[in-house]
Amino acid sequence: MAVRRFDIDAGGDTFAFKPETEPKIEFWLAKYPADKKRSGVIPLLWLAQKDNDGWLSEPAMREVADRLEMPYIRVYEVATFYTMFRLQPVGRYHVQLCGTTPCMLRGANDLKEVCESKIGPKMFVTDDGKLSWEEVECLGACVNAPMVQINDDYFEDLTEESFGELIDRLRNGADVSPGPQVDRVNSAPIGGTTVLTDETLFDGSLAKSITLPNLPGALAAAEAEPEAKALPEKKPATNTDREEAKPSGKTGSKNKEADE
Amino acid sequence: MADDLFKLNVDGQDIEVPKSYTLMQACEEAGAEIPRFCYHERLSVAGNCRMCLVQWVGAPKPIASCAQTVGEMRMNPDGTPPNIITRGDYVEKARKGVMEFLLINHPLDCPICDQGGECDLQDQAVAYGRAGSRYELNKRAVEDKNMGPLVKTIMTRCIQCTRCVRFAAEVAGVEEIGMISRGENAEITTYLEESLTSELSGNVIDLCPVGALTSKPYAFNARPWELRKTESIDVMDAMGAGIRVDAKGDAVMRILPVLNEEVNEEWLSDKSRFIWDGLQRQRLDKPYIREGGKLRAATWGEAFEATKAALAKPAEKIGVVAGDLIEVEQAKAALDLFRALGVQNTDCRPGGASYGADGVRERYILNPTLMGAEEADALLLIGVNPRVEAAVWNARIRKAWLWNDLTVGVIGEASDLTYDYTHLGEGPDVLNSLSSSDEAFVEALRNAERPMIVIGEGALSRGDGAAVLAKAHDFALEVGAVTEDWAGFGVLHSAAGRVGALDVGFVPGEGGADTAGILGGDMETVVLLGADEADLSGLEASTVIYIGHHGDAGAAKADIILPCAAYTEMVATYVNTEGRVQMTRRAVQPKGEAREGWAIFRALSDVLGKALPYDTAEALRDVLRGEEGSVFSGLGYAPGASGAEALKAAIEQDGEVSSAPFGSTIDDFYLTNPVARASKTMAECSRQQRALETPIAAE
């Protein structure tokens, strides 16, 4: 990490949030009391970076400071502290290449060479303004190493060839699909699953009705003809179901207290 | 009470300290010395230098004593008080480790560093540093930053203690310094290297424990051990801050603050601190006489003869105006001499204020005292901008606003004071409606246990000044600002010499003219005692005798110039705005043939045949002190609440107040007196500030 400074020249004089960003700003500011607005500095800087072609210019930072009524230097401190706030221009596709140990062991250094030959030095923006790259620390996708993040998407299981092709497609404006670039679903084994392949495990055919032996009438139940052979019709409870169930329970207990 | 105390065992010694103490304070209470860089008792605790490590027996690691509150510590397992060890191998090893890390990136440039000889890092490295370095990689280098014309930065020396950051944010109230980036790349800077805009910015130089922030004007001028250090009193504003004048040869090399808890704590305004180059420039070092329209150097004898001739006029055609920097001795000697000549046209209020004429001292001093701002719960400022008129006091108001919930109201210019206030209005007409106002601040003032009302030069130096003073006083009585133990009404002066001159009675005598009358052009001879701040344009026809130390507005008008000593060159008495009598000390000799002001009048009195009854400054001061109930009998003491009795009577004053808004008497903080106007440093500061204030290309 080198000394981080604003690219003053590239930043111009003005910055304005896009109209569609305003609701997002409201959303974030609503989380904090009016006199502690400055707590929203990181989300707002992040939104400003999104609205400013992926980097944070000096006017953009001032805009955030003005909105939060913070001294500029306090926002400047935050913006320079976090390396995910980029203080100089980046390409339309900004490649964040993971160089931490697992990715490095799986060939990140080769990817770096691809970047250097196809894009240029770190944080260099290609003449067409489409590409730039930097090395970052672990992005938490070690199981799919080596990987890069391009704008908001992960591209995983890269090789020199597939990565080079990816960069070419981005440069030429062709479609790319995020995720593993090999025959693999998310972090499942390459080439498909090798265990738990038995279909019957998943179609419910192995389900049996269970009897609890020491319930009253257990014996009778055991003798009775099983009613269901497959999964019950009822859908499994979702988060919302559980949450909705809560308030009624609460009022119930309250009434109970009141009764007592 | 015992609940608030906590027992500790420090180095085998049992002590009991308040629970709110930090462990560092407790250790110092026990007599242990704790090294530190980031900790400062007037700033918040950062705990980031780790130099203050001590051992807490039983704790797994050394403890940073500055960040550990005593009340949060727990007892030993057997219930005995915690044992703290501040020396020995364990602590020493820990601190040596910290010091080694601090020194990894610190340059070895002490021989060319201005902090050398008074550097905390240097001193502590003697105790905790290693003889050699084990670090084999490249040291880090940091770009130097611009912080304005006063603070020089050599940022490679910075150890990131963040004292300057905390000072700017907490005390000065301008959040302009910050630490950017992180880890090894962390740097202290102002936002995009803009200059600091605080009047207190020079204090970061004192705070910096290393040589990263040093004084720009003083750079490479002197070494601390070759300077003569003289403790004295500052006269750049009416606070009378304690200063230490460091001199080499016949030149003042720098001025530093001296701790005076009741006046300036340990801060000093930039004007007071960096004025010293003005003491070497534009000096009047010999008497001058105007001949054929041009001033020529003369001997004292010639000058006295010319003066004698100029004063051989009818007494009612002679006027004397004392300026802002006049010391008590000169005022007394001048007043005695001119009264002996029958001159009644004497005034020490070149701004045109009318306070002090009735001789009631409580009506022209700051009765609630500067420190009173911390006891008050509501403060009303009338026609006063403390940020420029008493910058260090402004920091104290800010402190009270920050920590004591002081509420502040302002009548006058709405400027940035570094704290929030209620702006009640611009001019004195607001005073008429205050009694019936239902403004929340006025309500707070009424309900306040200790309301404080301060009126300034801006409200008093105008035609309706006397009426404004009376109205403000009435309002102070109405809100109960004057009780047995609280005198909550006072005047904040902006000139160091004013209160002292008023105390010796330097006001128009029986039937005498005031400043406006003297400078109006009716006088045949006008004597200016360093009065440069007044409107001197009416003096074309008069013979002007100027007694002062700098060639400024007054000297330009003068027909006879009698050079006197400046405040660093004499033992002199000044009375600050609170009525606190303080003495300056002589740090250097007066320039050339200049003499102390009182001595000029003593010599002149012989020439005029009206010999004054004192031959030495000490004899003069004996006369001052000898008078019944003399205010000069005690040094360093502010009367404060003892003035409450005299304040209880309302001021009898008729006359209406106008609705013209209060203006400030100071349009440029950096150029308020002849010394400042002679200073290159102040000129540079003023230029920078004006550039900031001028809007760029208004469209």
Side-chain angles (χ1 to χ4, degrees), chain B residues 274-285:
Chain B
F274 294 104
I275 197 79
W276 47 266
D277 67 325
L279 291 167
Q280 290 293 92
R281 282 173 225 279
Q282 293 278 75
R283 289 304 300 269
L284 301 172
D285 55 356

Side-chain angles (χ1 to χ4, degrees), chain B residues 20 66 123 227 308 424 509 532 543:
Chain B
S20 59
C66 72
D123 295 348
L227 295 169
K308 187 179 177 184
L424 299 166
D532 297 281
T543 306

Side-chain angles (χ1 to χ4, degrees), chain A residues 1-6 8 38 58 61-62 71-74 76-77 80-84, chain B residues 142-143 145 165 169 175-183 185 187 189-194:
Chain A
M1 195 177 79
V3 178
R4 288 154 49 78
R5 300 277 160 79
F6 279 122
I8 299 284
R38 48 170 68 191
E58 196 262 339
M61 196 219 70
R62 269 192 280 131
Y72 296 155
I73 184 74
R74 294 282 97 88
Y76 190 36
E77 286 175 330
T80 53
F81 187 95
Y82 296 102
T83 49
M84 277 172 81
Chain B
V142 184
E143 290 164 36
K145 309 289 188 300
V165 178
E175 295 203 41
E176 289 174 352
I177 312 182
M179 182 158 79
I180 61 163
S181 294
R182 61 178 143 116
N185 299 100
E187 295 182 343
T189 183
T190 54
Y191 182 66
L192 300 183
E193 300 198 28
E194 282 163 1

Side-chain angles (χ1 to χ4, degrees), chain A residues 70-138:
Chain A
M70 286 173 77
Y72 296 155
I73 184 74
R74 294 282 97 88
V75 185
Y76 190 36
E77 286 175 330
V78 175
T80 53
F81 187 95
Y82 296 102
T83 49
M84 277 172 81
F85 295 124
R86 295 183 282 266
L87 307 183
Q88 44 182 305
V90 294
R92 199 160 114 213
Y93 303 103
H94 182 64
V95 178
Q96 290 172 289
L97 186 145
C98 172
T100 309
T101 316
C103 282
M104 188 199 73
L105 293 172
R106 297 275 294 151
N109 286 338
D110 298 336
L111 301 189
K112 249 187 253 181
E113 279 167 29
V114 173
C115 282
E116 272 160 8
S117 65
K118 285 198 180 272
I119 303 174
K122 276 179 197 173
M123 290 311 280
F124 170 84
V125 184
T126 52
D127 291 342
D128 55 7
K130 282 200 173 153
L131 289 162
S132 61
W133 77 282
E134 70 181 319
E135 183 179 334
V136 297
E137 300 306 328
C138 184

Side-chain angles (χ1 to χ4, degrees), chain B residues 241-455:
Chain B
I243 53 169
R244 195 186 86 192
V245 182
D246 285 6
K248 189 166 78 167
D250 66 344
V252 175
M253 302 311 280
R254 64 171 176 179
I255 294 173
L256 298 175
V258 168
L259 185 77
N260 187 345
E261 206 58 63
E262 294 178 348
V263 178
N264 59 320
E265 300 172 75
E266 62 186 77
W267 315 125
L268 196 57
S269 81
D270 286 352
K271 186 163 50 173
S272 310
R273 182 188 295 265
F274 294 104
I275 197 79
W276 47 266
D277 67 325
L279 291 167
Q280 290 293 92
R281 282 173 225 279
Q282 293 278 75
R283 289 304 300 269
L284 301 172
D285 55 356
K286 47 174 94 71
Y288 286 87
I289 299 175
R290 192 176 293 274
E291 274 175 5
K294 277 196 161 176
L295 285 169
R296 72 158 175 91
T299 64
W300 274 105
E302 285 175 303
F304 277 155
E305 282 310 315
T307 308
K308 187 179 177 184
L311 292 178
K313 302 271 163 58
E316 63 275 11
K317 286 290 179 190
I318 300 173
V320 189
V321 178
D324 286 353
L325 301 183
I326 192 164
E327 71 275 17
V328 171
E329 285 84 351
Q330 184 182 171
K332 173 73 176 162
L335 190 70
D336 283 355
L337 175 61
F338 286 107
R339 285 285 188 272
L341 293 171
V343 175
Q344 302 297 326
N345 307 326
T346 50
D347 203 350
C348 68
R349 301 158 301 185
S354 53
Y355 46 62
D358 55 5
V360 182
R361 191 172 196 238
E362 284 71 18
R363 290 179 185 165
Y364 63 81
I365 63 171
L366 187 71
N367 298 292
T369 71
L370 298 166
M371 218 173 169
E374 289 179 51
E375 291 164 41
D377 24 28
L379 168 65
L380 175 61
L381 300 167
I382 303 173
V384 58
N385 179 349
R387 191 169 173 189
V388 292
E389 289 174 39
V392 177
W393 188 52
N394 198 53
R396 200 191 281 265
I397 300 177
R398 180 178 154 81
K399 182 166 93 178
W401 169 79
L402 215 52
W403 305 110
N404 301 359
D405 291 330
L406 175 76
T407 51
V408 185
V410 169
I411 302 176
E413 274 183 307
S415 56
D416 177 12
L417 295 179
T418 70
Y419 37 84
D420 295 339
Y421 56 82
T422 310
H423 190 230
L424 299 166
E426 297 273 345
D429 47 336
V430 182
L431 287 170
N432 292 327
S433 56
L434 271 187
S435 308
S436 54
S437 170
D438 54 357
E439 185 90 40
F441 171 74
V442 181
E443 210 47 52
L445 199 64
R446 280 196 202 105
N447 298 332
E449 209 168 298
R450 302 199 144 177
M452 182 165 173
I453 296 179
V454 174
I455 188 160

